[in-house]
Amino acid sequence: MNLTESLLHAFKANGARQIFGIPGDFALPFFRIIEESRILPLFTLSHEPGVGFAADAAARIEGALAVAAVTYGAGALNMINSVAAAYAEKVPLVVLSGGPGKGESRSGLLLHHQAKTLDSQFRIFEEITCDRVRLDDAARAPADIARVLGNCLKHSRPVYIELPRDMVAVPCAEVPPLPAPEVDAEALAACADEVLKRLAAAERPVLMVDVEVRRYGLEAKVAELARRLALPVATCFMGRGLLADSDAALVGTYMGMAGLPEVTQLVENSDGLFLLGVILSDTNFAVSAKKIDLRKTIVACDGSVRLGYHVYPEIPLAALVDALLERTGEPARRLAFAPPHYPRGLVADDAPIAPNDIATAVNDLMAAHGKLPIASDMGDCLFTAMDIEHTALVAPGYYATMGYGVPAGLGLQAATGQRPLILVGDGAFQMTGWELGNCRRYGWDPIVLLFNNASWEMLRTFQPESAFNNLDDWGFASMAAGLGGDGVRVHTRRELQAALAQAAATRGRFQLVEIMIPRGVLSQTLQRFVAGVKRLNAPKQG
Ligand SMILES: Cc1ncc(Cc2c([C@H](C)O)sc(CCOP(=O)(O)OP(=O)(O)O)c2C)c(N)n1
Ligand SMILES: [Mg+2]
């Protein structure tokens, strides 16, 4: 077996199901082995940001490793933003980059694709990965690969592997099993006992879940824990879509002043708030109506558990959930809760379309055809998604990068085989929407809802006086045929309903529904979010 095959077998043995990538001369040798060995399917896309986002979405939806393979320099550095997004949102993404061979680096010449030095790329990735290795020693490689992949899964963060092009075919041993995370049994027991004691003492305990629950494959266990403890469950903005298929008492998504008032009160008035796998970010908590007193909360994330002033380090989330389940049985009472109401029954008339009409039309579609997993870009489309029935959702809710939606939808369909719904604004579509041109050769057929307000509308809500927020009308629907799909532009609610029905009935080609929205017309959630941010940032009176 050669080094590339050993690496590919290790990817597969630890959960990866495909590789997304774009080759280059520093990567051609190992791309050939990927293609000829067929150990993992290879999907090439058109631009490295899209490669990173597609692999990120595959990792999120599968709760497993995903691999983004690129060439040295122009390729890998083109993917920095996608890897930074994966780091911020705790995604186990493996960056596999080609690199110069040993001989080349001694030639004394500056190499093409080289930035400052030949080590610059390795150092740049240090800031957005939890571990890195350059595979320049075949004897050390199996242990190095095991260590790096082990850290990728343990920390659920990206890692960087550089494969010099003169090493790809050297003989190499199999990669050993990854090191299992060690847990101090006594500390775990004390931690689990204290968590349960706190929750039992609370009159209004609430469980809030976020991305780590999916990253560590814990959704079913967490739903069972919530049932046993009779806890109402809220997701945070980033955690939207979690537990969608469970019987957990899902009350909705907490968004402070921007969210449903009943969910905001439940969370902010809780005397036993249990934050499980929650990233304490501004997009999750910035617009809190009432500052959540973290001293009264239980925060389990990033491998530690904090209860007030008590901190238990090195407690993996999975170990904590298992320990809590071991200590709980059938609930004394069944929790009565009111599931959130999502709008249905679109009035299909000749009125112009507002974002909430899109949510209503999608809810009607899912009621008729079953739930669809959603990949959403950043923009009002993501705020609109909060009014869509709870379903699997991948979106950059915290890192908030644009360009995510379309490639992420392709990654989602490549990973699961399920047809996704993609939500994307016109500004974001201008960035990576062209990746739809890759659907035909892989048989992907997403339904794409393009919110076209000819505007960077989110920016306009914060700075309405700037004319640069006005975008031109690009006529996206008319471009769909050339990219291998079908496109339709809709202006009224009647046209929207008909277009969605037609898209749902058409398989085998992507369906682009270009939804014209008047500038200044926002989703209710975004309106509340902006009002909340403005209120919080307003100069204090007096
Ligand atoms: C890669 C990238 N560039 C810039 C931004 C800043 C930014 C936003 C966030 C605040 O940082 S929202 C927004 C406008 C989005 O326009 P569009 O996709 O048309 O959606 P909508 O019209 O619904 O706003 C920009 C430019 C970003 N988030 N990501
Ligand atoms: Mg827009």
Side-chain angles (χ1 to χ4, degrees):
M1 180 159 56
N2 64 43
L3 176 51
T4 304
E5 289 162 341
S6 178
L7 185 60
L8 294 174
H9 282 302
F11 288 158
K12 188 169 185 177
N14 291 290
R17 290 178 180 68
Q18 69 284 314
I19 294 179
F20 298 92
I22 296 177
D25 63 322
F26 286 106
L28 279 175
F30 77 75
F31 267 75
R32 196 191 69 243
I33 296 172
I34 292 173
E35 184 173 75
E36 291 173 359
S37 68
R38 296 176 180 274
I39 295 167
L40 285 171
L42 169 66
F43 298 109
T44 59
L45 294 178
S46 304
H47 197 209
E48 284 85 0
V51 168
F53 290 141
D56 172 297
R60 290 181 195 226
I61 202 73
E62 294 286 327
L65 279 184
V67 183
V70 287
T71 191
Y72 179 74
L77 299 182
N78 206 15
M79 199 165 67
I80 292 284
N81 181 53
S82 310
V83 179
Y87 187 90
E89 302 205 6
K90 304 216 64 181
V91 179
L93 176 65
V94 179
V95 177
L96 174 58
S97 174
K102 277 185 215 149
E104 297 172 278
S105 50
R106 287 199 288 266
S107 70
L109 295 174
L110 290 174
L111 298 186
H112 65 286
H113 290 339
Q114 172 179 345
K116 190 172 181 182
T117 74
L118 289 180
D119 283 339
S120 295
Q121 178 168 307
F122 193 88
R123 281 203 294 274
I124 287 165
F125 274 93
E126 194 163 349
E127 277 306 297
I128 50 176
T129 57
C130 69
D131 201 349
R132 290 153 302 289
V133 66
R134 178 177 294 132
L135 298 177
D136 53 13
D137 177 329
R140 260 199 5 247
D144 286 345
I145 293 166
R147 184 201 80 233
V148 168
L149 296 187
N151 280 328
C152 183
L153 289 170
K154 176 183 175 187
H155 302 291
S156 192
R157 300 269 195 193
V159 292
Y160 172 80
I161 298 176
E162 187 170 309
L163 184 47
R165 60 178 162 182
D166 60 358
M167 293 293 293
V168 300
V170 300
C172 181
E174 195 176 334
V175 174
L178 307 190
E182 285 142 31
V183 187
D184 176 329
E186 278 183 37
L188 176 61
C191 177
D193 290 342
E194 188 174 351
V195 167
L196 291 174
K197 193 169 158 212
R198 285 253 185 149
L199 291 174
E203 285 169 21
R204 301 177 303 282
V206 174
L207 175 64
M208 186 185 294
V209 294
D210 192 3
V211 292
E212 283 196 351
V213 167
R214 166 162 291 170
R215 300 291 185 271
Y216 294 108
L218 299 170
E219 284 183 85
K221 286 184 174 178
V222 169
E224 173 59 12
L225 182 66
R227 188 186 68 81
R228 291 188 189 181
L229 295 173
L231 293 178
V233 184
T235 72
C236 54
F237 188 45
M238 272 188 69
R240 177 73 179 198
L242 284 174
L243 308 186
D245 302 326
S246 77
D247 61 354
L250 265 181
V251 295
T253 297
Y254 172 72
M255 292 184 71
M257 288 184 247
L260 299 172
E262 60 273 24
V263 177
T264 301
Q265 271 122 46
L266 182 82
V267 168
E268 295 184 358
N269 296 333
S270 171
D271 59 348
L273 183 57
F274 185 10
L275 303 180
L276 195 59
V278 175
I279 296 181
L280 297 179
S281 68
D282 57 356
T283 47
N284 280 343
F285 295 99
V287 281
S288 296
K290 193 171 92 180
K291 187 135 183 61
I292 292 177
D293 185 348
L294 289 179
R295 291 167 307 172
K296 292 201 184 80
T297 61
I298 304 165
V299 184
C301 108
D302 246 352
S304 73
V305 180
R306 205 169 60 228
L307 300 98
Y309 297 109
H310 295 182
V311 179
Y312 293 85
E314 298 300 319
I315 303 282
L317 202 71
L320 175 67
V321 170
D322 286 342
L324 293 172
L325 284 171
E326 280 162 20
R327 289 162 171 78
T328 47
E330 280 309 302
R333 61 187 174 88
R334 184 139 178 82
L335 183 71
F337 80 102
H341 164 73
Y342 294 108
R344 282 208 192 162
L346 178 71
V347 176
D349 58 13
D350 295 326
I353 302 165
N356 282 73
D357 295 323
I358 301 172
T360 307
V362 168
N363 290 335
D364 293 345
L365 183 79
M366 292 210 275
H369 296 274
K371 284 190 175 180
L372 293 167
I374 296 177
S376 179
D377 217 298
M378 186 62 205
D380 198 13
C381 58
L382 181 52
F383 291 88
T384 303
M386 299 301 113
D387 285 307
I388 292 175
E389 301 272 357
H390 221 92
T391 183
L393 170 70
V394 292
Y398 160 41
Y399 185 73
T401 181
M402 288 159 70
Y404 184 84
V406 167
L410 306 187
L412 197 158
Q413 187 159 13
T416 65
Q418 289 178 305
R419 184 183 209 184
L421 186 66
I422 294 172
L423 308 179
V424 58
D426 56 309
F429 192 90
Q430 290 180 11
M431 294 183 176
T432 58
W434 318 110
E435 294 290 356
L436 287 175
N438 292 297
C439 288
R440 181 163 43 196
R441 57 192 176 114
Y442 293 124
W444 299 327
D445 58 353
I447 296 175
V448 183
L449 304 188
L450 199 163
F451 293 47
N452 191 355
N453 45 25
S455 162
W456 285 330
E457 197 57 35
M458 264 196 80
L459 299 189
R460 186 196 309 282
T461 62
F462 293 111
Q463 193 166 301
E465 65 275 19
S466 297
F468 55 62
N469 290 318
N470 301 331
L471 302 182
D472 197 353
D473 174 358
W474 282 30
F476 298 103
S478 60
M479 303 174 189
L483 291 169
D486 300 317
V488 62
R489 169 176 279 204
V490 296
H491 292 270
T492 68
R493 298 194 293 198
R494 183 193 319 281
E495 290 170 352
L496 171 63
Q497 188 181 65
L500 277 185
Q502 175 62 30
T506 309
R507 293 305 308 256
R509 290 166 59 85
F510 73 78
Q511 300 295 299
L512 177 63
V513 181
E514 181 184 15
I515 305 167
M516 305 312 288
I517 301 171
R519 278 183 187 153
V521 175
L522 306 179
S523 69
Q524 282 152 5
T525 304
L526 181 55
Q527 287 175 52
R528 291 193 298 256
F529 185 82
V530 172
V533 170
K534 286 181 176 169
R535 210 156 91 204
L536 285 172
N537 296 340
K540 298 285 178 269
Q541 301 303 330

